[in-house]
Amino acid sequence: MEERAKMMFGEILDDVRKYHPLIHNITNYVTVNDCANILLACGGSPIMSDDIDEVEEITSICGGLNINIGTLNQRTIPAMFASGKKANELGHPVVLDPVGAGASALRTDTAVQLMQQVKFSVIRGNSSEIKTLAMGSGSTKGVDANVNDVITEDNLEKAIGFAKAFAEKSHAIIAITGVIDIVADAEKAYCIYNGHPMMSRITGTGCQLSALTAAFITACPENILEAAAAAVCTMGVCGEMAYKRMGKVDGNATYRNYIIDAVCNIDSNTLEKMARFKIK
Amino acid sequence: MEERAKMMFGEILDDVRKYHPLIHNITNYVTVNDCANILLACGGSPIMSDDIDEVEEITSICGGLNINIGTLNQRTIPAMFASGKKANELGHPVVLDPVGAGASALRTDTAVQLMQQVKFSVIRGNSSEIKTLAMGSGSTKGVDANVNDVITEDNLEKAIGFAKAFAEKSHAIIAITGVIDIVADAEKAYCIYNGHPMMSRITGTGCQLSALTAAFITACPENILEAAAAAVCTMGVCGEMAYKRMGKVDGNATYRNYIIDAVCNIDSNTLEKMARFKIK
Amino acid sequence: MEERAKMMFGEILDDVRKYHPLIHNITNYVTVNDCANILLACGGSPIMSDDIDEVEEITSICGGLNINIGTLNQRTIPAMFASGKKANELGHPVVLDPVGAGASALRTDTAVQLMQQVKFSVIRGNSSEIKTLAMGSGSTKGVDANVNDVITEDNLEKAIGFAKAFAEKSHAIIAITGVIDIVADAEKAYCIYNGHPMMSRITGTGCQLSALTAAFITACPENILEAAAAAVCTMGVCGEMAYKRMGKVDGNATYRNYIIDAVCNIDSNTLEKMARFKIK
């Protein structure tokens, strides 16, 4: 089953390169440039726009929408709702990245209300953020996961159960990323082992992955679970490829560039060979 | 005529390095860091400021102004008008980059109204954006040009005619960038063949070029057509120099850095040697 | 005395790596990504948030606060005051980076009022910005220091006197950075000779240093003068290490990455060996 999925991941990557999905991003100003460049790297095309007076129009000319609540504010929050609803109307795939949900009431409430008013195709966050959404409240160490929430082999079965249950409840694919990534719908979970610990030393690998996920699911809307898992796998494999390039004096700035470079260069064969996951 | 222009381009670059033009940028948050770094790379100095309560003062202490409407919003739009008018009052050169004009009514209308209320020295965009401004309406594939609007050898003469006519009507130098770049006033057009297709795989090469153009025309206000053409040529040449440095595993993130590095290192001799253009 | 301080700087760096200080940044959108990455590079953790509805909460979950007034605006200014006061209430260290104070009344007034209403642990800026704050008014060439304000061996004693007097008056550590950096409280000044002129060709080395300083003083709150001096020294040493890596075709974009890489890799031994300063 995993072998067949690997081939599918390769085909999905090829589709992204073929269809050049145009993605509307309402995202934070911290990592926005990297999100744009990773979308271009994978074969997609980005447009960033967050003003209430244009977001519905921008959503309409795009194929997919990526809503990221990092550096959310009173001006951009209404734009998130308006574009999310417009995307739903048009049947466009929508990704939610609940950056820092649990770190403030504003973030938690905004994410929870977005989930109530917008149908998301995929919700991608770290374990603390996703736990916060599932509970409707929570606590997050800034934008990183709490140590207690880290997914390991020991609590993997439980985490899979949680992801599937939350996917069922939210009618969205749930992507929890960390040391082990889980991408699940109500019935099936991909447990992905790709990636490198150094990725957590760069700001915005999560934001970049959400943008990438939006491109993948927009290119393959008929198969959103696999497309989301393929995006997570691609990011992890590229993190590994980039780490192999690192010289002794390279640090997180160079690593950031190498990951985006890897996304730019990876082909479906490499993705198929390097992908490591189990289906549960 | 081209040989003389090449020497002039070299002299203009030397002037930028000599006069260190200070440029006020009201620009989008996607590519703002690259705009600042390319201004420093060319020998200029950037300041970014977009609040209505300070933009006129900031414009006043600078030599030139660069208005870029990417991620425009209700807060920054009035600041664009205020600083543009102040720059006109002071006789400072002003660049307009109509990012995504045609992609939303807000962008189209803002750009059109800016053109009505502010005198721009140079308007730089892709062919779809410039066409939208010339028509007062249009459609743009996000922030990239529509395939139908691409300038090739086949439609070059027509595009030159369009650029000259729009330059005459708008009283601005028109810079249309793409596979072939056209920089024109009402009577004379530079058709520039520098650049590399890979540049479209990076976010913000257009934004960076607009910032660069502001620096070039501020350093050489007596010769704005040539200064704008020199900026476009420099960006293209640097795109070629950067591409030559690319290794097998390098991608768009590294390429982005290499282009700015090339702007940092290029000298007037190299620019003169590598510049490829016709004057029509 | 200098030898003992060098060892202390090394210990402070080790503490940053050990305690992973979480820093709340209200900062400009130009250099925000580099600020986040340098915080991760040094061993800290960043969170960026500037909305009035969440900044107090975000400040509360962090260990320290970094307020940078670059691209300040009507929306973010109240957030700066609110988070500064909350940090004071909680006894968290707070850094002020008065970017462009002197370039507009809005920047000067905001910085001056912040100093009246918030107790800052460290104020870090270039000589023109700090002079502006000390006078309550001033003029700055955009975001760079005026030539007249540059600190050299010739005016060093006077500059030290000024820094100590302003430190006494403001009850803050004053960090004036430039060719020679001065980090002073009312009685003691570190005159730091590390760094490289090329650092001024990158946007945001100052902003990055302020973020770094916030991490260092948050990790070592009992010794803020030395922690701030250690941060300034680390940035300078990393600027030197990065410059040594530069190849012939590298420019400011690559240099930017190399500096952050150096912060990622520097160890306390290297810092101790390469630190160059006098205590006065």
Side-chain angles (χ1 to χ4, degrees), chain A residues 25-29 49-52 55 67-84 106 110 114, chain B residues 29 71-73, chain C residues 50-51 75:
Chain A
N25 298 271
I26 302 185
T27 189
N28 68 77
Y29 57 80
S49 150
D50 63 17
D51 194 79
I52 190 75
V55 285
I67 298 179
N68 174 310
I69 67 166
T71 67
L72 81 179
N73 61 62
Q74 291 311 324
R75 191 180 64 70
T76 56
I77 292 169
M80 294 175 187
F81 284 89
S83 57
L106 182 67
T110 301
L114 279 167
Chain B
Y29 56 80
T71 68
L72 82 179
N73 60 61
Chain C
D50 63 17
D51 194 79
R75 192 180 63 70

Side-chain angles (χ1 to χ4, degrees), chain B residues 119-137:
Chain B
K119 195 211 155 320
F120 288 99
S121 316
V122 179
I123 301 171
R124 192 222 61 84
N126 64 41
S127 50
S128 298
E129 290 159 350
I130 299 295
K131 216 167 121 185
T132 297
L133 294 196
M135 320 273 260
S137 67

Side-chain angles (χ1 to χ4, degrees), chain A residues 29-31 34 71-74 103-107 140-144 198 200-203 248-254 256-257, chain C residues 20 22 27 29 32-34 36-37 40-41 43 45-51 53-54 57-58 61 75 245 256-257 260-261 264-265:
Chain A
Y29 57 80
V30 186
T31 65
D34 294 328
T71 67
L72 81 179
N73 61 62
Q74 291 311 324
S104 77
L106 182 67
R107 296 194 186 213
T140 308
K141 191 214 163 196
V143 290
D144 299 318
M198 181 79 186
S200 65
R201 295 288 298 279
I202 306 171
T203 190
K248 207 182 145 193
V249 291
D250 287 330
N252 60 336
T254 290
R256 181 258 302 262
N257 292 317
Chain C
H20 303 299
L22 178 58
T27 189
Y29 57 79
V32 58
N33 185 268
D34 294 328
N37 274 327
L40 286 160
S45 190
I47 184 162
M48 276 62 183
S49 150
D50 63 17
D51 194 79
D53 286 349
E54 71 161 0
E57 253 178 295
I58 297 293
I61 62 165
R75 192 180 63 70
R245 276 184 79 181
R256 180 256 303 263
N257 293 316
I260 297 175
D261 281 357
C264 196
N265 287 315

Side-chain angles (χ1 to χ4, degrees), chain C:
Chain C
M1 197 157 64
E2 277 81 2
E3 288 313 305
R4 210 179 124 202
K6 281 180 191 179
M7 280 185 55
M8 214 169 155
F9 285 10
E11 287 161 19
I12 291 165
L13 176 62
D14 288 339
D15 279 351
V16 177
R17 307 244 193 249
K18 187 170 159 191
Y19 296 118
H20 303 299
L22 178 58
I23 305 301
H24 177 196
N25 298 271
I26 302 186
T27 189
N28 66 78
Y29 57 79
V30 186
T31 64
V32 58
N33 185 268
D34 294 328
C35 289
N37 274 327
I38 208 162
L39 280 169
L40 286 160
C42 77
S45 190
I47 184 162
M48 276 62 183
S49 150
D50 63 17
D51 194 79
I52 190 72
D53 286 349
E54 71 161 0
V55 284
E56 290 166 296
E57 253 178 295
I58 297 293
T59 290
S60 303
I61 62 165
C62 291
L65 174 64
N66 174 35
I67 297 179
N68 175 308
I69 67 165
T71 67
L72 82 179
N73 61 61
Q74 292 310 325
R75 192 180 63 70
T76 57
I77 292 169
M80 295 176 186
F81 284 89
S83 57
K85 287 173 187 175
K86 175 55 79 177
N88 282 173
E89 251 179 68
L90 298 168
H92 293 182
V94 191
V95 172
L96 173 64
D97 187 332
V99 179
S104 78
L106 182 68
R107 295 194 187 214
T108 305
D109 295 350
T110 300
V112 167
Q113 286 165 26
L114 279 167
M115 288 182 63
Q116 286 163 358
Q117 297 183 39
V118 176
K119 195 211 155 318
F120 288 99
S121 315
V122 179
I123 301 170
R124 192 221 62 84
N126 65 41
S127 50
S128 298
E129 290 160 349
I130 299 295
K131 217 166 119 182
T132 297
L133 294 196
M135 321 273 260
S137 67
S139 75
T140 309
K141 191 213 161 198
V143 291
D144 298 318
N146 276 338
V147 176
N148 300 342
D149 296 335
V150 170
I151 297 170
T152 62
E153 285 298 336
D154 290 341
N155 60 18
L156 183 59
E157 289 303 324
K158 202 177 149 196
I160 292 169
F162 160 74
K164 285 181 176 176
F166 188 43
E168 182 159 28
K169 192 180 148 206
S170 64
H171 307 289
I173 305 296
I174 301 301
I176 307 173
T177 55
V179 179
I180 307 173
D181 309 313
I182 298 174
V183 182
D185 65 12
E187 275 142 40
K188 195 173 172 182
Y190 286 83
C191 304
I192 300 171
Y193 292 81
N194 292 107
H196 192 278
M198 181 81 186
M199 295 173 85
S200 64
R201 296 288 299 279
I202 307 171
T203 191
T205 44
C207 302
Q208 291 173 49
L209 174 51
S210 294
L212 203 65
T213 301
F216 276 57
I217 66 175
T218 301
C220 301
E222 73 290 347
N223 224 329
I224 288 195
L225 175 62
E226 275 68 31
V232 173
C233 215
T234 299
M235 191 73 189
V237 167
C238 288
E240 296 170 25
M241 291 167 68
Y243 193 77
K244 282 187 198 137
R245 276 184 79 181
M246 297 275 283
K248 206 182 145 194
V249 291
D250 287 330
N252 61 335
T254 290
Y255 188 46
R256 180 256 303 263
N257 293 316
Y258 285 179
I259 292 176
I260 297 175
D261 281 357
V263 173
C264 196
N265 287 315
I266 192 172
D267 57 28
S268 45
N269 275 340
T270 308
L271 177 58
E272 289 170 34
K273 265 182 219 152
M274 291 182 68
R276 285 178 295 131
F277 59 85
K278 292 181 205 161
I279 300 172
K280 298 236 172 180

Side-chain angles (χ1 to χ4, degrees), chain B residues 4-148:
Chain B
R4 209 180 125 202
K6 281 180 190 179
M7 280 185 55
M8 215 169 154
F9 285 11
E11 287 160 21
I12 292 165
L13 175 62
D14 288 339
D15 280 351
V16 177
R17 307 245 193 249
K18 187 171 160 191
Y19 296 118
H20 303 299
L22 179 57
I23 305 302
H24 178 195
N25 298 271
I26 302 186
T27 190
N28 67 77
Y29 56 80
V30 186
T31 65
V32 58
N33 185 268
D34 294 328
C35 289
N37 274 327
I38 209 161
L39 280 169
L40 287 160
C42 77
S45 189
I47 184 163
M48 274 63 182
S49 150
D50 63 17
D51 194 80
I52 190 75
D53 286 349
E54 70 162 1
V55 284
E56 290 167 294
E57 254 179 295
I58 297 293
T59 289
S60 303
I61 62 165
C62 291
L65 173 64
N66 174 35
I67 297 179
N68 174 309
I69 67 165
T71 68
L72 82 179
N73 60 61
Q74 293 309 327
R75 192 180 62 70
T76 57
I77 291 169
M80 295 176 187
F81 284 89
S83 57
K85 288 174 187 175
K86 175 55 80 176
N88 282 173
E89 251 180 69
L90 298 168
H92 292 182
V94 192
V95 172
L96 173 65
D97 187 333
V99 178
S104 77
L106 182 68
R107 295 194 186 213
T108 305
D109 295 351
T110 300
V112 168
Q113 286 165 25
L114 279 166
M115 287 182 63
Q116 286 164 357
Q117 297 183 38
V118 175
K119 195 211 155 320
F120 288 99
S121 316
V122 179
I123 301 171
R124 192 222 61 84
N126 64 41
S127 50
S128 298
E129 290 159 350
I130 299 295
K131 216 167 121 185
T132 297
L133 294 196
M135 320 273 260
S137 67
S139 75
T140 309
K141 191 212 164 197
V143 291
D144 298 318
N146 276 339
V147 175
N148 299 341

